[in-house]
Amino acid sequence: MAGSRPKSGPTMHDVAAAAGVSQATVSLVLNSATGSRFSEDTRKRVRDAVNRLGYRTNAHAKVLREGVAGMIGFIGDSVATSPFAGAIIEGAQQRAWEDGLLLLTVNTGGDRELEAASLDTMLSYKVAGVVYAAMYHRQLDVPEALEGVRAVVLNSQDRAGRLPSVAPDEVKGGYTATRRLLDAGHSRIGLINIETLESGLPAAVGRYQGYTAALEDAGLEVDPALVRFGGGGEEDGYKYAMELLTAATPPTAIFCANDRGAWGAYQAVSDLRLSIPGDVSIVGFDNQAILAPHLRPGLTTLDLPFVAMGRRAVELILQDAEPDGRVELMDCPLVERMSVTHPKEMP
């Protein structure tokens, strides 16, 4: 009929009637209000009524009432392309959802104009906070738009030291990788790093520091002849593994500071008609799901704790703490496979 209005969806009053509780109880249960105590039976009756009736909360009303939307913003430079993006977003999304919040995710591809426009739109939605993520660990400049916003830098560090940051513990990871080879009985351990130390890249610097610290703790001197600085690709892994393994006194083990470099090292070992781990043991870093488990033999490597880091970043936002420059470093667990054994004389 002309002038008729579409029937609106079920209301909170409808949910309360169906569950046999008050509207206040429905509101408190749905918003997980602090200090509200209801029996599990009451909570279940409310949830069942919500599902049965298809009730949806009014997000616009929530913004007007509380000043924030039921969302946390997540903005990253290569969310759509990095092999690690899925895990880091998964962790953030899991933690947000536990508090009834959605994750609003934007991929900028490193485009500063797109980043500025995305942040402006995101903040206009009155998100509860923003996770500012990078897909590799580095020092970065946080956009001015995040000034005064509840925000956390993820998988990198705020160069200005204003916002809290969550990142992997690169030094401890490098130490753990080298310690694994030392514990297997190796004393001549090569390193193929992902960048020069002059680059200042935390992953390259930290993993090298961990390598040297482990050797020194074992009473061994760092031999510069066993160290190479590449670019992180399989080509450099191949090139530098070839150099190390054809030297007059080759290493019996190599710590590759990323899995792609380890992949290149595997190819060099094969071309030299040597075996892993019989002739040379190899440890990687990253635990790339599309690579490390599928090498033959499977690569022993360090896992970057992306799910845990994503969760922690959102947790810091939900804690509503005053912005500070704290840097929380998270452990990189060792993932054992079959690429390490005790040394033997090289042919």
Side-chain angles (χ1 to χ4, degrees):
M1 293 176 58
S4 66
R5 301 178 62 183
K7 186 180 184 300
S8 62
T11 66
M12 190 176 291
H13 174 79
D14 297 328
V15 174
V21 298
S22 68
Q23 288 190 53
T25 297
V26 172
S27 177
L28 290 170
V29 169
L30 294 183
N31 288 286
S32 302
T34 302
S36 60
R37 288 184 171 84
F38 302 105
S39 68
E40 186 54 39
D41 178 67
T42 299
R43 294 179 187 277
K44 184 176 186 303
R45 294 207 320 269
V46 170
R47 289 194 295 265
D48 287 347
V50 166
N51 293 333
R52 188 167 63 254
L53 297 174
Y55 174 74
R56 297 290 182 270
T57 57
N58 188 327
H60 180 63
K62 182 178 176 68
V63 173
L64 293 177
R65 184 175 65 251
E66 302 177 10
V68 294
M71 295 185 291
I72 288 178
F74 184 107
I75 188 161
D77 52 9
S78 43
V79 172
T81 57
S82 167
F84 308 119
I88 208 166
I89 293 171
E90 177 188 352
Q93 186 169 272
Q94 283 177 354
R95 185 62 189 88
W97 187 246
E98 287 170 11
D99 271 47
L101 302 172
L102 295 175
L103 198 70
L104 177 61
T105 306
V106 176
N107 176 61
T108 68
D111 184 323
R112 285 292 184 179
E113 289 187 7
L114 177 57
E115 176 181 274
S118 300
L119 273 174
D120 185 57
T121 301
M122 194 175 281
L123 295 176
S124 75
Y125 278 101
K126 303 294 184 184
V127 292
V130 175
V131 176
Y132 187 72
M135 291 306 149
Y136 70 89
H137 188 182
R138 63 187 187 272
Q139 297 274 348
L140 49 73
D141 298 310
V142 176
E144 291 183 8
L146 291 179
E147 185 74 34
V149 176
R150 205 182 308 168
V152 175
V153 175
L154 177 57
N155 199 34
S156 277
Q157 299 177 35
D158 177 11
R159 196 190 312 276
R162 292 172 299 183
L163 295 180
S165 305
V166 178
D169 192 333
E170 309 286 7
V171 177
K172 189 173 180 181
Y175 187 98
T176 300
T178 310
R179 185 74 252 174
R180 175 67 183 90
L181 294 168
L182 289 164
D183 289 344
H186 296 275
S187 57
R188 286 189 61 76
I189 301 172
L191 168 67
I192 300 176
N193 210 338
I194 55 177
E195 265 292 354
T196 64
L197 300 182
E198 290 73 23
S199 70
L201 192 68
V205 175
R207 294 172 197 184
Y208 176 80
Q209 289 175 347
Y211 165 80
T212 59
L215 292 178
E216 290 167 359
D217 283 355
L220 300 171
E221 291 187 5
V222 177
D223 183 353
L226 295 178
V227 178
R228 297 292 186 277
F229 296 95
E234 60 270 24
E235 299 89 351
D236 281 346
Y238 179 90
K239 172 185 175 182
Y240 292 125
M242 273 287 189
E243 286 185 9
L244 291 170
L245 295 173
T246 56
T249 310
T252 60
I254 302 174
F255 166 35
C256 296
N258 72 342
D259 289 351
R260 287 180 61 199
W263 181 23
Y266 267 56
Q267 295 170 53
V269 171
S270 177
D271 285 356
L272 290 170
R273 300 188 181 281
L274 301 175
S275 70
I276 301 170
D279 296 310
V280 58
S281 292
I282 294 180
V283 171
F285 205 120
D286 292 342
N287 194 31
Q288 284 202 24
I290 60 173
L291 181 60
H294 305 295
L295 294 175
R296 292 293 179 267
L299 177 65
T300 293
T301 186
L302 276 293
D303 185 49
L304 285 168
F306 285 118
V307 173
M309 290 195 301
R311 288 185 62 87
R312 182 57 181 158
V314 171
E315 203 157 70
L316 288 174
I317 288 174
L318 295 175
Q319 285 177 0
D320 198 17
E322 287 296 317
D324 58 30
R326 83 179 79 171
V327 178
E328 293 198 12
L329 299 177
M330 304 198 70
D331 286 351
C332 301
L334 180 71
V335 179
E336 288 278 7
R337 295 194 178 95
M338 302 298 292
S339 63
V340 177
T341 191
H342 57 82
K344 72 174 187 179
E345 292 297 318
M346 292 288 287

